[in-house]
Amino acid sequence: MGGECSPPFSKREDASRLIMPEWYIGLVVFIYGAVVGSFLNVLIYRLPRGLSIVKPRSHCPSCKTELRARDLVPLLSFLWQRGKCRYCGARISWRYFWVELATGSLFWGIYWRYGWSWDTLFYVLFAAALIAAFFIDLEHFLIPDGLNVFMLALGVARNVMLIAENNPQAWVVVGGWKLPYALVGAIVCTAIFATIAVMGRVMFRKDAMGFGDVKLARAIGTMMPLNLALLAFAGAVALGAVVGGALVLFTLKQQPSTPAPSAVGSAPTVSPEPLTQMLLYSLAVLVALDVLVFLYDGVRSLLSPGKSSAVPVEEEEFVPGLTTIPFGPYIVAATLIALIGKPYVLSLWNAYWRWATGGG
Ligand SMILES: [Zn+2]
């Protein structure tokens, strides 16, 4: 199972870093994270709306004034201006602040766990994409394909790197076959989530889980050791039950006047996908056909920039029911917890396994 990569730098170079105190490196990593977080805020706003992520410079959504450097300092600009636009006084969402704080903290947490290693680099990029997926799914009930393809590519790159440095953790043996761990992880995780999606469709006669979640699980399978990924999924279910249950109770309490049965029971306005189509699509995700389509679309829109093939979210308006809560954010949260708390999560699992099997 894929574990830590070896440190990328020689011992000689490593020694020079002893001059810098550990808290100082941690602070620098945190600041880098906060800066990446402010870029993620741009992605979170523009990706689901089909807007270019580079072209217009950042501007206030209210008065359209182009923002200057002093308005774009992560965390500090927001606090200094008390969450308001400097030019028109319009309120700015707290999301901008939380995304920067969360990204900075997670970058620091990953550095703390994996130290000065290639894994830290791979995992901070992974965490950045996960944070973007978290907030986009929360707001729009979708995870952009670009994010899932990026994470998948990252996982494949990590596996290739482990192979290149002859790390035994690059491989897993399945029934006598020596296979790249990312391939096995992707197949197992896709199969589990596609099964849940199809079963949900059969049992509840509506789309219980979107394919964005299946693709997210596939990417997670390429990035993490399989046992850790599976524990993260179990954690996501537990987290979803606790937080989702609390949210539903809270919402029901908040709106006692609304006719609850019709609101809870009625299916979303979008009709569920036919079963055969779901099975075919599961197969396509399993063999990464969607990645090829995504790349093809990307190349085509690069060649003819006028006609963008990006589908704006408004095209398929999804009105969530009262109990419809995206599952993606729970997967993201549990994955990040597993990534940073890796040894604790694994030892907790081992303790549980010993207890469950009654062994010593
Ligand atoms: Zn403004």
Side-chain angles (χ1 to χ4, degrees), residues 39-334:
F39 172 66
L40 292 181
N41 273 318
V42 175
L43 286 189
I44 290 165
Y45 184 83
R46 296 188 186 179
L47 268 186
R49 292 175 173 83
L51 304 170
S52 161
I53 55 176
V54 280
K55 243 191 268 163
R57 291 175 53 111
S58 291
H59 53 81
C60 167
S62 210
C63 64
K64 314 287 182 214
T65 309
E66 197 171 278
L67 300 179
R68 296 185 214 158
R70 66 170 180 174
D71 307 317
L72 295 167
V73 181
L75 299 169
L76 300 182
S77 287
F78 187 92
L79 290 178
W80 183 248
Q81 290 156 217
R82 294 196 182 81
K84 284 177 187 164
C85 170
R86 186 199 299 278
Y87 307 100
C88 70
R91 203 155 267 291
I92 302 165
S93 166
W94 269 93
R95 193 198 69 210
Y96 287 87
F97 180 80
W98 291 125
V99 167
E100 287 161 3
L101 186 65
T103 314
S105 309
L106 287 166
F107 272 39
W108 174 79
I110 288 165
Y111 169 72
W112 171 72
R113 165 62 53 216
Y114 297 94
W116 199 247
S117 69
W118 283 110
D119 261 353
T120 295
L121 186 64
F122 277 117
Y123 285 146
V124 292
L125 292 172
F126 181 46
L130 285 174
I131 292 165
F134 181 97
F135 285 96
I136 292 173
D137 200 13
L138 210 58
E139 194 180 342
H140 300 279
F141 294 86
L142 63 87
I143 301 171
D145 277 344
L147 289 176
N148 281 329
V149 170
F150 172 75
M151 289 187 274
L152 186 71
L154 212 55
V156 172
R158 181 172 181 267
N159 202 153
V160 168
M161 177 129 177
L162 287 170
I163 292 172
E165 61 182 22
N166 262 326
N167 192 319
Q169 289 167 331
W171 307 96
V172 264
V173 178
V174 183
W177 291 67
K178 197 176 154 198
L179 300 167
Y181 89 88
L183 181 68
V184 176
I187 290 173
V188 171
C189 296
T190 306
I192 291 172
F193 273 69
T195 307
I196 296 173
V198 172
M199 294 256 288
R201 166 74 183 79
V202 172
M203 284 162 64
F204 304 115
R205 288 164 187 277
K206 63 175 185 177
D207 293 332
M209 180 184 286
F211 272 92
D213 293 332
V214 180
K215 294 174 194 169
L216 176 64
R218 180 181 63 186
I220 291 169
T222 66
M223 281 303 295
M224 304 218 290
L226 189 55
N227 55 354
L228 200 60
L230 296 180
L231 285 173
F233 297 151
V237 172
L239 211 59
V242 173
V243 179
L247 281 178
V248 168
L249 280 180
F250 184 73
T251 321
L252 287 176
K253 233 179 193 173
Q254 287 278 302
Q255 313 167 302
S257 54
T258 49
S262 64
V264 175
S266 71
T269 50
V270 178
S271 58
E273 290 183 58
L275 198 57
T276 46
Q277 202 178 318
M278 281 190 87
L279 288 170
L280 277 177
Y281 203 64
S282 302
L283 207 63
V285 174
L286 200 64
V287 297
L289 207 61
D290 61 302
V291 176
L292 289 181
V293 172
F294 175 82
L295 295 177
Y296 172 76
D297 274 356
V299 170
R300 210 179 47 173
S301 67
L302 271 180
L303 293 178
S304 54
K307 289 169 275 178
S308 172
S309 61
V311 183
V313 69
E314 278 76 22
E315 193 165 287
E316 194 184 314
E317 196 69 53
F318 173 62
V319 182
L322 190 58
T323 52
T324 316
I325 296 154
F327 190 49
Y330 298 112
I331 304 176
V332 169

